[in-house]
Amino acid sequence: MASMTSIQQSDSVFTSSDNTLIRYVEVWTSGDDGSRLVLESARTVGRNSAQRDSDVTSVAIGEGLVGEAWQNKTSVICHDKSRFGLQISEDPELACMVVIPVFRQQEIRGVVVLGLSDGFGAAEIWSRDDRDELSVTSGHYSGLPSFEFITGYTRFPKGAGLPGNVWKTGQPIIAQKLDQSSAFIRSFGNDPAVVTSAIGVPVCSSRGFPASVLLLLEAGDCPLAGRTELWTCCETESFDRGSAITQVSTAAEEQSELVSPWQHELMVQVAESGGPILAESANGCLPTGASCVMAMPVFHNSAIVGVLALTF
């Protein structure tokens, strides 16, 4: 594997998970024969007390939220708590589930489930419409009513905006400092919090373009995770540059350091498995204050073009 660098790697950039938008994580991986998905790991984050309310540890295509995402080859955003499969009576903050299938061409490699709180932030699924543009087909908006309203009237041609660029290139993209960008027209609302950062992930890329685009958006002082990193690469198993979303100063954002041993080990594991993983330790070490990290490969056709890593 090629050497890796990232603009934000020091322990000081890790944010406590008590304030994160994501409060629950599940990772499902493909079984030996590919006919079922198996629950590999589940983890609550921060103050979340939600627990699985089901002994279901494997699903076939079409079964439950995980099987639905697999069958439809697209992410699923669900607000119906009866479908979460969790005991959440003690945690009213868990507001929706975002289910992200990981495909290598048409082959399912796993599914990641993210439980989002009612803190400021958003999740969106953008799909091709009858005008050959992207429009939002499902979304979760917490504390962002104006942003949600504007989004309903927004369309992105191929190559335009963050969704359009992900759609055109098939590459995951991070956008930062959106609150300071005049080009981010959806921020011109009157919400109690402002969208500051976003990550765009292509879903089920084959024959050149992804079937849909998932956006995860941060707003106010509510980061997605303790640290959110996007590692991109030029070819399979070669991660050459990094970008990250964290609540840190401008000076810290401009620092560049060599990848740490635990990050290198994590990327090796993802490249070798070809699917998502949820690790409580990687190479015996995590950032100070962290308890786990989820790493999800992003494919363009059959090649890994990036890894989304969420540290809690």
Side-chain angles (χ1 to χ4, degrees):
M1 178 175 289
S3 62
M4 296 179 288
T5 60
S6 176
I7 60 174
Q8 298 169 333
Q9 296 301 334
S10 65
D11 288 352
S12 62
V13 302
F14 180 76
T15 303
S16 168
S17 295
D18 286 344
N19 275 339
T20 58
L21 185 64
I22 299 170
R23 295 296 183 85
Y24 180 80
V25 185
E26 283 182 357
V27 166
W28 298 70
T29 56
S30 179
D32 291 339
D33 61 0
S35 65
R36 300 185 69 83
L37 289 171
V38 178
L39 178 65
E40 286 292 331
S41 187
R43 184 71 186 239
T44 59
V45 177
R47 297 186 301 266
N48 180 18
S49 59
Q51 297 182 0
R52 285 186 55 81
D53 191 28
S54 171
D55 58 1
V56 174
T57 57
S58 73
V59 297
I61 188 168
E63 292 181 353
L65 290 176
V66 171
E68 179 183 336
W70 178 7
Q71 183 176 52
N72 296 333
K73 294 184 172 65
T74 186
S75 298
V76 174
I77 296 176
C78 178
H79 295 91
D80 183 356
K81 294 186 178 182
S82 68
R83 300 192 67 197
F84 287 4
L86 301 174
Q87 294 178 348
I88 57 173
S89 58
E90 298 180 7
D91 185 21
E93 291 183 344
L94 204 58
C96 85
M97 288 290 193
V98 179
V99 188
I100 313 168
V102 177
F103 281 92
R104 182 171 59 195
Q105 292 185 314
Q106 299 300 307
E107 177 193 6
I108 187 70
R109 298 301 304 159
V111 170
V112 173
V113 180
L114 304 176
L116 271 56
S117 75
D118 57 3
F120 293 129
E124 300 174 331
I125 299 171
W126 293 82
S127 303
R128 179 181 176 184
D129 60 22
D130 55 6
R131 298 190 300 180
D132 198 29
E133 295 178 331
L134 290 181
S135 58
V136 70
T137 53
S138 184
H140 167 72
Y141 303 91
S142 184
L144 302 170
S146 295
F147 189 87
E148 179 179 7
F149 178 80
I150 295 171
T151 298
Y153 293 91
T154 303
R155 301 292 185 272
F156 289 105
K158 196 175 274 103
L162 180 58
N165 271 285
V166 175
W167 187 24
K168 180 180 180 179
T169 64
Q171 304 281 331
I173 298 174
I174 270 184
Q176 301 186 81
K177 300 180 181 178
L178 295 175
D179 53 327
Q180 302 175 30
S181 173
S182 60
F184 190 60
I185 59 174
R186 290 197 289 157
S187 66
F188 297 160
N190 187 26
D191 288 326
V194 178
V195 173
T196 56
S197 306
I199 184 166
V201 180
V203 177
C204 193
S205 293
S206 63
R207 292 193 286 269
F209 299 105
S212 62
V213 174
L214 173 70
L215 292 193
L216 298 173
L217 304 104
E218 294 184 341
D221 295 324
C222 188
L224 289 168
R227 181 161 63 192
T228 302
E229 294 172 298
L230 176 61
W231 290 84
T232 58
C233 56
C234 298
E235 57 189 42
T236 304
E237 300 185 14
S238 175
F239 300 91
D240 295 322
R241 65 181 175 85
S243 186
I245 298 174
T246 47
Q247 303 298 317
V248 297
S249 67
T250 301
E253 289 177 0
E254 293 174 351
Q255 292 177 358
S256 179
E257 301 175 12
L258 292 176
V259 65
S260 64
W262 74 267
Q263 287 168 317
H264 181 270
E265 177 65 21
L266 192 64
M267 302 308 159
V268 170
Q269 291 178 30
V270 172
E272 290 179 346
S273 70
I277 62 175
L278 180 59
E280 296 190 10
S281 64
N283 204 31
C285 182
L286 286 176
T288 301
S291 60
C292 65
V293 58
M294 187 284 296
M296 181 188 81
V298 180
F299 287 90
H300 184 61
N301 297 322
S302 61
I304 295 177
V305 293
V307 172
L308 174 63
L310 304 173
T311 304
F312 302 97

Short mmCIF file of all heavy atoms in Angstrom, two decimals, residues 170-195:
data_model
loop_
_atom_site.label_atom_id
_atom_site.label_comp_id
_atom_site.label_asym_id
_atom_site.label_seq_id
_atom_site.Cartn_x
_atom_site.Cartn_y
_atom_site.Cartn_z
N GLY A 170 -18.08 9.89 -9.87
CA GLY A 170 -18.12 8.62 -9.17
C GLY A 170 -17.20 8.57 -7.98
O GLY A 170 -16.94 7.50 -7.41
N GLN A 171 -16.71 9.74 -7.54
CA GLN A 171 -15.76 9.82 -6.43
C GLN A 171 -16.44 10.42 -5.19
O GLN A 171 -17.25 11.35 -5.30
CB GLN A 171 -14.58 10.73 -6.81
CG GLN A 171 -13.85 10.32 -8.06
CD GLN A 171 -12.89 9.18 -7.81
OE1 GLN A 171 -12.36 9.02 -6.73
NE2 GLN A 171 -12.65 8.37 -8.83
N PRO A 172 -16.10 9.93 -4.00
CA PRO A 172 -16.58 10.60 -2.78
C PRO A 172 -15.90 11.95 -2.64
O PRO A 172 -14.74 12.12 -3.02
CB PRO A 172 -16.15 9.64 -1.66
CG PRO A 172 -14.97 8.91 -2.23
CD PRO A 172 -15.22 8.79 -3.71
N ILE A 173 -16.62 12.91 -2.11
CA ILE A 173 -16.11 14.29 -2.01
C ILE A 173 -16.48 14.88 -0.66
O ILE A 173 -17.59 14.69 -0.17
CB ILE A 173 -16.68 15.18 -3.13
CG1 ILE A 173 -16.26 14.67 -4.52
CG2 ILE A 173 -16.23 16.64 -2.97
CD1 ILE A 173 -16.91 15.43 -5.66
N ILE A 174 -15.54 15.61 -0.08
CA ILE A 174 -15.81 16.40 1.12
C ILE A 174 -15.83 17.87 0.74
O ILE A 174 -15.00 18.34 -0.04
CB ILE A 174 -14.75 16.16 2.21
CG1 ILE A 174 -15.18 14.99 3.10
CG2 ILE A 174 -14.53 17.39 3.07
CD1 ILE A 174 -14.25 14.72 4.26
N ALA A 175 -16.80 18.61 1.26
CA ALA A 175 -16.87 20.06 1.09
C ALA A 175 -16.90 20.70 2.47
O ALA A 175 -17.71 20.33 3.31
CB ALA A 175 -18.11 20.46 0.30
N GLN A 176 -16.00 21.65 2.70
CA GLN A 176 -15.89 22.31 3.99
C GLN A 176 -16.12 23.81 3.85
O GLN A 176 -16.10 24.35 2.76
CB GLN A 176 -14.51 22.04 4.60
CG GLN A 176 -14.23 20.55 4.79
CD GLN A 176 -12.93 20.30 5.52
OE1 GLN A 176 -12.86 20.38 6.73
NE2 GLN A 176 -11.89 19.98 4.76
N LYS A 177 -16.38 24.45 4.99
CA LYS A 177 -16.59 25.89 5.06
C LYS A 177 -17.71 26.34 4.12
O LYS A 177 -17.62 27.38 3.47
CB LYS A 177 -15.29 26.64 4.76
CG LYS A 177 -14.17 26.31 5.72
CD LYS A 177 -12.89 27.06 5.39
CE LYS A 177 -11.78 26.69 6.37
NZ LYS A 177 -10.50 27.38 6.05
N LEU A 178 -18.76 25.54 4.04
CA LEU A 178 -19.87 25.88 3.17
C LEU A 178 -20.57 27.16 3.62
O LEU A 178 -21.16 27.87 2.80
CB LEU A 178 -20.87 24.72 3.13
CG LEU A 178 -20.36 23.43 2.50
CD1 LEU A 178 -21.39 22.32 2.62
CD2 LEU A 178 -19.99 23.65 1.04
N ASP A 179 -20.51 27.44 4.91
CA ASP A 179 -21.15 28.66 5.43
C ASP A 179 -20.42 29.91 4.95
O ASP A 179 -20.97 31.02 5.06
CB ASP A 179 -21.19 28.63 6.95
CG ASP A 179 -19.82 28.36 7.58
OD1 ASP A 179 -19.02 27.63 6.97
OD2 ASP A 179 -19.56 28.88 8.67
N GLN A 180 -19.21 29.75 4.42
CA GLN A 180 -18.45 30.88 3.92
C GLN A 180 -18.43 30.95 2.39
O GLN A 180 -17.74 31.78 1.81
CB GLN A 180 -17.00 30.80 4.43
CG GLN A 180 -16.89 30.78 5.95
CD GLN A 180 -15.46 30.57 6.42
OE1 GLN A 180 -14.51 30.96 5.75
NE2 GLN A 180 -15.29 29.94 7.57
N SER A 181 -19.19 30.06 1.74
CA SER A 181 -19.16 29.97 0.29
C SER A 181 -20.43 30.57 -0.32
O SER A 181 -21.54 30.13 -0.02
CB SER A 181 -19.03 28.51 -0.15
OG SER A 181 -19.16 28.38 -1.54
N SER A 182 -20.25 31.55 -1.19
CA SER A 182 -21.39 32.16 -1.88
C SER A 182 -21.99 31.21 -2.91
O SER A 182 -23.12 31.40 -3.37
CB SER A 182 -20.96 33.46 -2.57
OG SER A 182 -19.93 33.20 -3.53
N ALA A 183 -21.24 30.17 -3.28
CA ALA A 183 -21.72 29.20 -4.26
C ALA A 183 -22.69 28.19 -3.65
O ALA A 183 -23.42 27.51 -4.38
CB ALA A 183 -20.55 28.46 -4.90
N PHE A 184 -22.72 28.12 -2.33
CA PHE A 184 -23.61 27.16 -1.65
C PHE A 184 -24.95 27.84 -1.44
O PHE A 184 -25.26 28.36 -0.37
CB PHE A 184 -22.99 26.70 -0.33
CG PHE A 184 -23.71 25.55 0.30
CD1 PHE A 184 -23.84 24.34 -0.36
CD2 PHE A 184 -24.26 25.67 1.57
CE1 PHE A 184 -24.50 23.27 0.22
CE2 PHE A 184 -24.93 24.60 2.17
CZ PHE A 184 -25.04 23.40 1.49
N ILE A 185 -25.78 27.82 -2.48
CA ILE A 185 -27.01 28.63 -2.48
C ILE A 185 -28.04 28.12 -1.49
O ILE A 185 -28.90 28.89 -1.04
CB ILE A 185 -27.63 28.67 -3.89
CG1 ILE A 185 -27.95 27.25 -4.38
CG2 ILE A 185 -26.68 29.36 -4.87
CD1 ILE A 185 -28.70 27.23 -5.70
N ARG A 186 -27.97 26.85 -1.12
CA ARG A 186 -28.99 26.33 -0.21
C ARG A 186 -28.83 26.85 1.22
O ARG A 186 -29.69 26.61 2.06
CB ARG A 186 -28.96 24.80 -0.21
CG ARG A 186 -29.47 24.20 -1.51
CD ARG A 186 -29.80 22.74 -1.34
NE ARG A 186 -28.63 21.90 -1.17
CZ ARG A 186 -28.66 20.70 -0.58
NH1 ARG A 186 -29.78 20.24 -0.07
NH2 ARG A 186 -27.55 19.98 -0.49
N SER A 187 -27.73 27.52 1.49
CA SER A 187 -27.52 28.05 2.84
C SER A 187 -28.21 29.39 3.06
O SER A 187 -28.18 29.94 4.15
CB SER A 187 -26.01 28.21 3.11
OG SER A 187 -25.45 29.20 2.26
N PHE A 188 -28.83 29.94 2.00
CA PHE A 188 -29.43 31.27 2.11
C PHE A 188 -30.82 31.20 2.73
O PHE A 188 -31.80 31.68 2.18
CB PHE A 188 -29.52 31.94 0.73
CG PHE A 188 -28.18 32.18 0.09
CD1 PHE A 188 -28.07 32.37 -1.27
CD2 PHE A 188 -27.02 32.19 0.85
CE1 PHE A 188 -26.82 32.58 -1.86
CE2 PHE A 188 -25.77 32.40 0.27
CZ PHE A 188 -25.68 32.59 -1.09
N GLY A 189 -30.92 30.59 3.88
CA GLY A 189 -32.18 30.49 4.60
C GLY A 189 -32.09 31.18 5.95
O GLY A 189 -31.16 31.95 6.21
N ASN A 190 -33.04 30.89 6.80
CA ASN A 190 -33.08 31.52 8.12
C ASN A 190 -33.27 30.44 9.17
O ASN A 190 -34.25 30.43 9.92
CB ASN A 190 -34.21 32.54 8.18
CG ASN A 190 -34.19 33.35 9.47
OD1 ASN A 190 -33.14 33.50 10.08
ND2 ASN A 190 -35.35 33.83 9.89
N ASP A 191 -32.31 29.53 9.24
CA ASP A 191 -32.38 28.42 10.19
C ASP A 191 -31.61 28.75 11.46
O ASP A 191 -30.71 29.60 11.45
CB ASP A 191 -31.79 27.16 9.55
CG ASP A 191 -32.69 26.57 8.48
OD1 ASP A 191 -33.92 26.66 8.64
OD2 ASP A 191 -32.16 26.04 7.49
N PRO A 192 -31.92 28.06 12.56
CA PRO A 192 -31.17 28.30 13.80
C PRO A 192 -29.73 27.83 13.73
O PRO A 192 -28.92 28.20 14.58
CB PRO A 192 -31.97 27.50 14.85
CG PRO A 192 -32.73 26.48 14.06
CD PRO A 192 -33.04 27.13 12.76
N ALA A 193 -29.40 26.99 12.75
CA ALA A 193 -28.02 26.54 12.54
C ALA A 193 -27.72 26.58 11.05
O ALA A 193 -28.62 26.52 10.22
CB ALA A 193 -27.81 25.13 13.09
N VAL A 194 -26.44 26.69 10.73
CA VAL A 194 -26.02 26.79 9.33
C VAL A 194 -25.21 25.55 8.97
O VAL A 194 -24.37 25.08 9.74
CB VAL A 194 -25.16 28.05 9.11
CG1 VAL A 194 -24.68 28.12 7.66
CG2 VAL A 194 -25.94 29.30 9.47
N VAL A 195 -25.48 25.00 7.79
CA VAL A 195 -24.70 23.87 7.29
C VAL A 195 -23.27 24.33 7.00
O VAL A 195 -23.06 25.31 6.28
CB VAL A 195 -25.33 23.28 6.01
CG1 VAL A 195 -24.42 22.22 5.40
CG2 VAL A 195 -26.70 22.68 6.33
#
